[in-house]
């Protein structure tokens, strides 16, 4: 069930990957900028890439209230439907307007899905394997990135609008598979307890634990969930919509169990995960590598980056349970820091634009060893991210908040 729910990570990962290839497609560039221009302008590139994040911002904000009203499962299904509408608009694009509108709407769906899939998985997982199973969400993100790179690599030489419509259109499949599949999964038993629907909670818990309804195991866990809900309700009084949001900011930042501290911890972790620099690699690695003047096949190197990402993430399935969440995040941050300094130093000194034209008129790069070193450190950096902060942030936010 968790493996299937984490399939939602494909949305997030595939989008981060495919846009890197689409914005480098000559056909797409000519569609947006005109037939005589060979690269997207800075403002257009920034708008097309980042508008999805604006959608996810508002989608994630709304998703919590929707999930508390209609349930976790149905919120993710609604997110899939919104995402599919956004994909259709992007496939139909004939200029800047539709691609921006489509990515904004798709972002709303991604916001619904990325906020609630982690909640759903955390609420149905047995405690002992929660870390490893929630890490599966990040693994699906990496698979989405890899698929996007493969598709971009396969369509880069197509000289018609299929070069961008195929990578965009494949997202439709992910939305349909997740949306239809979730119809057959139970909703979160914790959601039913929160809504006071104890019998439905018992049925859902029996389904996710593969136990009969009268099982002692089910009864014991259900009693624990009910007791926990009653305890939290005594600490956090039931209020209206505004009061519910205000409860997120109650207490002292210096008190470890306060809601304010938990809210700051959760939002900061998610912000820092995106702020590590990993999105630069997967959004802009193609133009970054082109700017070195030393890489003939930038798409292939981008594909190698995503392979390192995919292969490194499963390490966290073991290490997050063996060593704990906090040590993993600390050591991962240190490893990424060292690699980023090395890439920055090499790039600033000899990494870029050290090319000359020889007597035969060929452009020759004099910085190939430096660029190879940059690529090596980027791969090591991706390894540290994928095995620590990639899954670690998702796991921690799934565990720190009250119901």
């Amino acid at each position: 069930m968790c493996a299937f729910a984490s399939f939602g990570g494909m949305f997030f990962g595939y989008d981060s990957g495919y846009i890197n290839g689409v914005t480098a497609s000559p056909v797409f560039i000519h569609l947006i900028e005109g037939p005589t221009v060979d690269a997207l302008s800075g403002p257009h590139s920034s708008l097309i890439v980042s508008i999805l994040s604006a959608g996810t911002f508002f989608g994630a904000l709304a998703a919590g209230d929707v999930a508390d009203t209609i349930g976790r499962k149905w919120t993710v299904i609604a997110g899939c439907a919104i995402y599919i509408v956004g994909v259709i608009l992007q496939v139909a694009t004939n200029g800047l307007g539709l691609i921006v509108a489509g990515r904004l709407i798709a972002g709303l769906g991604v916001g619904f899905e990325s906020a609630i899939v982690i909640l759903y998985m955390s609420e149905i997982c047995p405690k002992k394997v929660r870390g490893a199973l929630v890490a599966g969400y990040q693994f699906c993100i990496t698979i989405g990135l890899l698929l996007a790179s493969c598709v971009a690599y396969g369509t880069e030489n197509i000289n018609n609008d299929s070069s961008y419509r195929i990578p965009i259109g494949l997202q439709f499949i992910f939305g349909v598979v997740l949306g239809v599949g979730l119809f057959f999964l139970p909703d979160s038993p914790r959601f039913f307890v929160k809504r006071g629907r104890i019998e439905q909670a018992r049925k859902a818990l029996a389904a996710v634990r593969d136990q009969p309804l009268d099982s002692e195991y089910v009864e014991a866990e259900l009693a624990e969930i009910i007791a926990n809900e009653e305890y939290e309700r005594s600490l956090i009084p039931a209020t209206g919509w505004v009061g519910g949001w205000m409860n997120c900011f109650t207490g002292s930042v210096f008190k470890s169990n306060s809601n304010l501290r938990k809210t700051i911890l959760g939002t900061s972790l998610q912000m820092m995960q995106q702020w590590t620099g990993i999105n630069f690699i997967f959004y802009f690695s193609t133009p970054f590598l082109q700017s070195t003047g030393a890489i003939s096949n930038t798409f292939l190197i981008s594909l190698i980056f995503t392979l390192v990402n995919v292969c490194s993430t499963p390490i966290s399935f073991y290490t997050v349970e063996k060593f704990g969440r906090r040590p993993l995040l600390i050591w991962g941050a240190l490893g990424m820091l060292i690699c980023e300094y090395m890439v920055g130093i090499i790039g600033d000194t000899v990494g870029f634009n050290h090319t000359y034209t020889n007597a035969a008129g060929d452009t020759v790069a004099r910085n190939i060893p430096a660029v190879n070193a940059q690529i090596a450190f980027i791969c090591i950096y991706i390894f540290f991210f994928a095995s620590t902060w990639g899954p670690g942030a998702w796991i921690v936010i799934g565990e720190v908040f009250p119901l």
Side-chain angles (χ1 to χ4, degrees):
M1 289 175 183
C2 285
F4 187 81
S6 65
F7 185 80
M10 298 280 282
F11 292 18
F12 196 10
Y14 186 86
D15 184 89
S16 298
Y18 95 83
I19 200 65
N20 185 23
V22 165
T23 52
S25 163
V27 179
F28 184 77
I29 292 167
H30 294 159
L31 176 73
I32 302 298
E33 303 290 353
T36 60
V37 181
D38 294 328
L40 287 177
S41 68
H44 285 166
S45 177
S46 298
L47 176 64
I48 292 168
V49 170
S50 63
I51 194 67
L52 183 107
S53 296
T56 57
F57 175 81
F58 292 107
L61 275 181
D65 291 315
V66 176
D68 281 345
T69 303
I70 66 174
R72 284 50 166 147
K73 177 174 91 168
W74 293 105
T75 302
V76 178
I77 291 172
C80 291
I82 296 169
Y83 180 76
I84 287 169
V85 171
V87 170
I88 291 170
L89 288 177
Q90 290 177 73
V91 171
T93 189
N94 56 2
L96 184 65
L98 270 182
I99 190 75
V100 170
R103 282 180 63 75
L104 179 65
I105 293 169
L108 286 169
V110 173
F112 268 55
E113 176 275 327
S114 60
I116 304 306
V117 164
I118 294 296
L119 176 65
Y120 177 73
M121 292 170 68
S122 297
E123 290 186 349
I124 69 172
C125 284
K127 291 177 192 174
K128 288 186 177 180
V129 292
R130 184 187 292 139
L133 288 178
V134 174
Y137 181 79
Q138 178 66 23
F139 186 52
C140 281
I141 291 177
T142 66
I143 292 174
L145 280 162
L146 177 63
L147 277 177
S149 293
C150 291
V151 172
Y153 188 56
T155 57
E156 66 171 318
N157 294 321
I158 297 176
N159 291 319
N160 56 51
D161 58 8
S162 296
S163 65
Y164 64 88
R165 292 194 199 276
I166 290 173
I168 293 171
L170 284 174
Q171 298 173 99
F172 187 87
I173 299 171
F174 306 146
V176 170
V177 169
L178 182 64
V180 172
L182 276 171
F183 274 104
F184 303 98
L185 296 185
D187 213 326
S188 161
R190 292 176 186 271
F191 162 72
F192 288 127
V193 168
K194 182 181 173 73
R195 305 299 290 180
R197 289 142 65 176
I198 304 302
E199 278 309 306
Q200 285 176 279
R202 181 179 282 107
K203 290 177 183 176
L205 192 59
V208 298
R209 298 291 180 261
D210 194 26
Q211 296 281 321
L213 281 171
D214 57 355
S215 161
E216 290 181 13
Y217 182 89
V218 169
E219 287 299 325
E221 187 170 359
L222 182 61
E224 181 186 342
I225 294 171
I226 294 170
N228 189 52
E229 158 68 5
E230 290 172 350
Y231 172 68
E232 288 175 1
R233 198 177 292 277
S234 69
L235 294 179
I236 307 171
T239 60
W241 182 81
V242 174
W245 274 100
M246 294 307 295
N247 278 334
C248 295
F249 305 96
T250 56
S252 168
V253 72
F254 301 106
K255 188 177 177 183
S256 63
N257 199 37
S258 75
N259 285 348
L260 175 62
R261 183 152 168 161
K262 289 175 179 176
T263 298
I264 291 172
L265 173 66
T267 52
S268 299
L269 274 169
Q270 288 282 264
M271 184 188 76
M272 294 295 178
Q273 184 203 49
Q274 298 301 299
W275 215 19
T276 55
I278 194 68
N279 279 346
F280 174 80
I281 302 300
F282 295 119
Y283 279 141
F284 298 113
S285 62
T286 302
F288 167 74
L289 292 168
Q290 286 171 344
S291 69
T292 65
I295 304 295
S296 58
N297 194 334
T298 54
F299 277 96
L300 185 59
I301 303 298
S302 296
L303 188 59
I304 291 170
F305 288 161
T306 56
L307 273 171
V308 173
N309 196 28
V310 171
C311 296
S312 303
T313 302
I315 296 170
S316 66
F317 298 174
Y318 171 77
T319 55
V320 75
E321 300 293 358
K322 175 71 174 176
F323 303 113
R325 282 58 161 157
R326 191 167 175 269
L328 212 63
L329 295 177
I330 291 171
W331 288 106
L334 179 62
M336 287 190 287
L337 175 74
I338 294 168
C339 291
E340 287 176 324
Y341 263 117
M342 295 305 296
V343 172
I345 291 165
I346 295 168
D348 194 51
T349 52
V350 292
F352 291 104
N353 300 324
H354 285 260
T355 58
Y356 69 95
T357 303
N358 63 14
D362 299 322
T363 300
V364 180
R366 290 181 289 194
N367 60 340
I368 291 175
V371 173
N372 287 341
Q374 281 182 292
I375 291 171
F377 277 111
I378 289 172
C379 287
I380 298 168
Y381 159 82
I382 294 170
F383 164 80
F384 276 111
F385 174 84
S387 58
T388 60
W389 271 84
W394 295 111
I395 294 165
V396 174
I397 63 158
E399 294 180 333
V400 297
F401 296 110
L403 185 58

